[in-house]
Amino acid sequence: SGRPESAAERPCWPTLAGGLQAEPEMVAREASGQHLRSLLALLGPRLWLMHQDSLRFSAKRTYNGLAAFLGVQPFPTNTEFRRHNSQRGHRTELCRNASVHAVLQQSFAEEYRDLEAVLHAAAVDVPVALRLRRTRCDRAEELGGGAG
């Protein structure tokens, strides 16, 4: 039809492995590194970037950094930043299937490099997890206590 396919028109694969096999272009389609690079080039210092790990490990500092960027007061000292809308446990077979996990990580190799480069260009510390290519599968606390 010439128009981009919407998410609603894409099939829902019963497994991640099946989806990757049927749609090898899925990784390239979902990559965000190049888009962030373009945004940074367009907006420069008007773009505030942060990595998800900054919320996980230093939420207050991250939100106060955002407040400062926006030119507003920092959050009160007694403000608690909690996690919401965060489902723990296995959501797909990814962390239980080492070969799919390895293929997916390899498929995202360029994306990892792009994200590191964008964060570096934006003067944002590149988190250890990104440098070491750690994923949710490497965090037992996210999976309900058990490994991978």
Side-chain angles (χ1 to χ4, degrees):
S1 70
R3 65 183 173 80
E5 185 179 279
S6 74
E9 294 168 327
R10 284 186 228 134
C12 182
W13 303 105
T15 66
L16 182 56
L20 289 170
Q21 200 169 35
E23 286 190 67
E25 73 283 356
M26 181 187 325
V27 170
R29 183 180 63 231
E30 301 302 329
S32 60
Q34 287 298 323
H35 298 295
L36 288 174
R37 191 184 303 268
S38 297
L39 277 173
L40 187 58
L42 179 67
L43 299 173
R46 294 175 297 164
L47 179 66
W48 192 78
L49 289 175
M50 46 74 71
H51 188 275
Q52 180 183 19
D53 274 3
S54 65
L55 290 174
R56 184 177 300 114
F57 298 117
S58 55
K60 185 173 208 148
R61 187 172 129 212
T62 301
Y63 282 113
N64 281 334
L66 176 58
F69 176 78
L70 296 172
V72 299
Q73 294 294 313
F75 287 85
T77 358
N78 62 345
T79 303
E80 290 182 38
F81 296 94
R82 299 183 186 136
R83 284 179 71 170
H84 296 279
N85 299 323
S86 173
Q87 180 183 349
R88 297 183 192 271
H90 294 275
R91 293 181 261 173
T92 69
E93 82 278 13
L94 178 62
C95 297
R96 291 184 173 130
N97 188 330
S99 59
V100 171
H101 187 246
V103 166
L104 195 58
Q105 275 199 300
Q106 183 58 43
S107 299
F108 273 108
E110 186 177 343
E111 176 74 354
Y112 283 125
R113 288 189 297 273
D114 284 346
L115 291 174
E116 280 188 88
V118 168
L119 290 174
H120 182 73
V124 175
D125 289 336
V126 177
V128 172
L130 178 56
R131 287 194 314 263
L132 298 178
R133 309 303 190 243
R134 298 286 185 238
T135 69
R136 184 175 188 277
C137 298
D138 298 307
R139 296 190 305 266
E141 71 278 5
E142 294 290 324
L143 301 174

